[in-house]
């Protein structure tokens, strides 16, 4: 039998504390491709749609791809943007008979008037296809998985790596479970266990720490009768919503009892180790002092976790850059500095010009401070386009928007227009900066940078500049989360 399967990708991680709403233009700036155009660009890369299509070819499915849409993490998705993208998926669902649906989601989408974007999308799909249509979804492990999501999708599977390097593999596994569901071999459903925490202590990092052992237990449990998939989600703490935080999901068939007991045990371990933080967060001044003293072969990589655009921070906090300049650090690069106004001003100059301008700190100085005034030389001007070649985004195009490299003292600063975190060497190299040749590489990212930058680094240190995504979540004004909630209480 030939199955017809609807596929789509619709992803956003919504930081409800951001003052930047995520509108349709934000999706178009990052990823907004419909139908065959999306498949052509993304089906041979490390993406969800690639994994879906791997199984589609192997099982001779007929596929109907609606859309691939994603925006950089920022404030809640506007209702207009949500309706537009969800509308594309619903229209594809109405276009003819289907046997199943596969969706590449994130799991932490908030719509401006609804706290559960993925749940809302699934509700609308169920209204079209009915209660029994097999639906499988893939999730980022920073999903805030809701009970409604588990009710509305039979198959749920999250990436098991952070940095995320297993998107295609996870999607392939989910698609195989959907195929078994469509043939009638299995009748899956997903159970969910959570604890009253904003997020797991180390945000789910899997390069070291307790999540390694947890995932080993998860893989072992998947070999027990009835267990189909175990997902461990660290949650996303920068969301003031009723359902958030770490979850353990087990997609299973048959008796739920042993799988619920297993999920409870994993969740208990996450709770018991809530104080066991792996990172030591330096102040900008401490990081600059270490940079000044660095003399080992290979670069010292400094990551400003708190100003990570990949979690909805603005990418324009100047604290770390200011500290590096004040300390007289040389042989360094810094990026990105997300400052559209500065990028436009620099594009009005010529290469080689000396420019004095306010840099960074323009979006919301309450988080990370206001602009700093710098004088530098324009080294490069670019349209900001690049193609990744690393473990996460190899082969995929990216676009910083109008971009400039400004040399300020001994630091080459990558000034960009579009927000995004640093997770691929080409995000520097495409603009004339070779990170491997630098003494100091300062970047804005939390964990994803490690996949590409750890192999070239002599040492990695992390910094908290006090920006919007500071690891100290107690700085944020939560009002809607249920209480008590760790670490707020």
């Amino acid at each position: 039998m030939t199955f017809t399967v609807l596929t789509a990708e619709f992803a956003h991680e919504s930081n409800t504390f951001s003052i930047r709403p995520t509108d349709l233009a934000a999706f178009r700036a990052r990823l907004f491709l419909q139908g065959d155009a999306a498949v052509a660009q993304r089906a041979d890369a490390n993406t969800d749609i690639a994994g879906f299509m791997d199984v589609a070819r192997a099982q001779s499915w007929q596929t109907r791809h609606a859309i691939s849409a994603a925006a950089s993490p920022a404030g809640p998705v506007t209702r207009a943007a949500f309706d537009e993208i969800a509308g594309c998926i619903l229209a594809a669902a109405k276009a003819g008979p289907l046997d199943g649906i596969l969706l590449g989601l994130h799991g932490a989408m908030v719509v401006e008037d609804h706290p559960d974007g993925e749940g809302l999308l699934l509700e609308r799909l169920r209204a079209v296809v009915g209660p029994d249509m097999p639906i499988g979804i893939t999730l980022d492990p920073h999903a805030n998985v809701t009970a409604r999501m588990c009710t509305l999708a039979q198959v749920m599977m999250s990436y098991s790596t952070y940095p995320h390097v297993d998107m295609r593999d996870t999607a392939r596994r989910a698609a195989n479970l959907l195929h078994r569901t469509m043939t009638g071999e299995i009748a899956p459903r997903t159970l969910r266990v959570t604890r009253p925490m904003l997020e797991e202590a180390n945000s789910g990092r899997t390069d070291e720490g307790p999540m390694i052992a947890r995932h080993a237990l998860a893989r072992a449990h998947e070999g027990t009768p009835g267990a189909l998939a175990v997902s461990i989600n660290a949650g996303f703490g920068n969301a003031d919503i009723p359902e958030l935080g770490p979850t353990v999901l087990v997609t299973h068939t048959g008796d739920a009892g042993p799988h619920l007991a297993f999920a409870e045990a994993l969740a208990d371990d996450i709770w018991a180790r809530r104080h066991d933080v792996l990172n030591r967060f330096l102040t900008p001044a401490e990081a600059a002092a270490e940079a000044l003293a660095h003399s080992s072969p290979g670069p010292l990589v400094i990551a400003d976790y708190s100003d990570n655009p990949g979690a909805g921070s603005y990418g324009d906090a100047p604290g770390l850059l200011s500290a590096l300049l004040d300390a007289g650090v040389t042989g360094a690069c810094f990026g990105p500095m997300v400052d559209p106004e500065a990028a436009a001003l620099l594009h009005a100059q010529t290469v080689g010009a000396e420019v004095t301008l306010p840099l960074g700190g323009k979006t919301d100085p309450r988080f990370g401070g206001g602009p700093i005034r710098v004088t530098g030389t324009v080294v490069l001007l670019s349209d900001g386009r690049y193609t990744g070649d690393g473990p996460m985004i190899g082969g995929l195009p990216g676009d910083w928007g109008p971009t400039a490299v400004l040399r300020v003292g001994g630091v080459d600063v990558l000034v960009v227009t579009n927000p995004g975190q640093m997770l691929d060497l080409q995000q520097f190299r495409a603009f004339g900066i070779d990170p491997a040749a630098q003494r100091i590489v300062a970047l804005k990212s939390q964990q994803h940078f490690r996949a590409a930058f750890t192999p070239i680094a002599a040492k990695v240190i992390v910094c908290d500049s006090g920006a919007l995504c500071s690891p100290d979540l107690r700085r944020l004004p939560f009002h809607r989360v249920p209480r008590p909630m760790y670490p707020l209480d």
Side-chain angles (χ1 to χ4, degrees):
M1 179 179 179
T2 298
F3 293 116
T4 300
V5 178
L6 169 66
T7 61
E9 296 173 302
F10 185 13
H12 192 253
E13 186 177 64
S14 304
N15 186 326
T16 64
F17 301 100
S18 170
I19 63 172
R20 288 179 176 165
T22 302
D23 57 13
L24 194 59
F27 284 93
R28 293 188 181 278
R30 179 170 174 183
L31 175 63
F32 191 94
L33 293 170
Q34 293 178 263
D36 292 342
V39 176
Q41 183 182 104
R42 297 174 58 78
D44 288 321
N46 192 5
T47 64
D48 295 83
I49 188 60
F52 296 162
M53 292 303 167
D54 288 342
V55 176
R57 286 188 294 269
Q59 301 294 349
S60 300
W61 293 350
Q62 291 183 356
T63 57
R64 186 184 307 157
H65 188 69
I67 191 168
S68 291
S72 292
V77 177
T78 64
R79 171 60 75 163
F82 179 85
D83 287 347
E84 176 79 16
I85 298 166
C88 291
I89 299 171
L90 296 172
K94 296 173 183 176
L98 292 171
D99 298 293
I101 298 171
L102 281 169
L103 303 175
L105 307 176
H106 183 283
M109 183 192 302
V110 178
V111 183
E112 61 183 346
D113 57 357
H114 196 291
D116 180 11
E118 286 83 5
L120 181 59
L121 173 64
L122 289 167
E123 284 178 355
R124 290 188 176 184
L125 265 176
R126 283 291 177 208
V128 172
V129 302
D132 301 322
M133 172 78 65
I135 296 179
I137 65 175
T138 55
L139 298 170
D140 186 291
H142 297 106
N144 288 324
V145 180
T146 66
R148 190 68 177 145
M149 291 165 61
C150 295
T151 299
L152 294 170
Q154 293 96 327
V155 173
M156 301 177 71
M157 194 176 295
S158 301
Y159 314 145
S160 58
T161 58
Y162 183 38
H164 308 329
V165 294
D166 64 331
M167 288 82 82
R168 186 173 190 166
D169 179 62
T170 300
R172 190 184 297 120
R173 292 175 61 215
N176 277 319
L177 288 184
L178 183 82
H179 185 79
R180 294 171 63 191
T181 305
M182 292 188 297
T183 65
E185 177 190 347
I186 57 175
R189 55 190 184 275
T190 297
L191 63 84
R192 164 186 177 269
V193 173
T194 188
R195 293 292 180 266
M197 305 165 63
L198 292 177
E199 60 183 21
E200 192 267 342
N202 296 290
S203 298
R205 63 182 294 189
T206 56
D207 57 324
E208 61 177 279
M211 202 61 82
I212 296 174
R214 291 172 190 147
H215 277 290
L217 291 171
R219 301 292 81 76
H221 186 76
E222 288 170 347
T224 64
L228 302 172
V230 178
S231 298
I232 309 172
N233 299 298
F236 180 60
N238 288 81
D240 192 13
I241 55 176
E243 291 179 89
L244 83 166
T247 51
V248 180
L249 311 178
V250 183
T251 296
H252 65 95
T253 188
D255 179 19
H259 313 302
L260 180 60
F262 175 78
E264 293 281 4
L266 274 187
D268 283 344
D269 184 64
I270 291 172
W271 174 258
R273 303 185 69 168
R274 63 192 180 278
H275 302 291
D276 298 349
V277 178
L278 296 169
N279 289 314
R280 175 177 174 255
F281 294 99
L282 305 179
T283 67
E286 290 170 336
E290 189 156 342
L292 196 62
H294 179 68
S295 58
S296 303
L300 171 70
V301 174
I302 308 172
D304 184 356
Y305 266 45
S306 67
D307 199 30
N308 171 31
S313 199
Y314 305 122
D316 70 349
L320 178 58
L321 175 61
S322 180
L324 295 172
L325 296 174
D326 289 346
V329 171
T330 60
C333 63
F334 181 97
M337 177 62 79
V338 183
D339 190 334
E341 182 181 307
L345 189 154
L346 294 171
H347 268 257
Q349 313 299 314
T350 58
V351 171
E354 185 175 282
V355 184
T356 299
L357 77 167
L359 188 61
K362 300 184 178 79
T363 307
D364 188 353
R366 295 176 302 165
F367 297 99
I372 59 172
R373 194 159 188 83
V374 300
T375 298
T377 302
V378 180
V379 175
L380 176 141
L381 298 170
S382 168
D383 63 6
R385 293 176 183 160
Y386 60 88
T387 300
D389 66 2
M392 289 193 64
I393 60 169
L396 293 174
D399 187 357
W400 289 123
T403 293
V405 176
L406 182 69
R407 182 165 294 154
V408 184
V411 184
D412 283 351
V413 183
L414 185 71
V415 182
V416 308
T417 300
N418 297 333
Q421 71 173 306
M422 193 64 68
L423 46 76
D424 192 286
L425 298 179
Q426 285 299 323
Q427 291 174 294
F428 275 128
R429 284 179 175 162
F431 310 102
I433 299 171
D434 181 5
Q438 303 292 314
R439 199 173 66 84
I440 308 298
V441 177
L443 50 80
K444 295 177 184 288
S445 180
Q446 285 187 350
Q447 175 73 358
H448 285 321
F449 73 93
R450 295 181 190 271
F453 286 84
T454 295
I456 69 163
K459 183 179 181 181
V460 174
I461 61 176
V462 295
C463 170
D464 179 1
S465 68
L468 184 61
C469 292
S470 167
D472 185 359
L473 293 171
R474 293 170 298 181
R475 298 179 183 178
L476 297 173
F478 287 93
H479 300 293
R480 298 178 182 87
V481 299
R483 308 299 284 265
M485 178 68 68
Y486 178 83
L488 306 181
D489 302 298

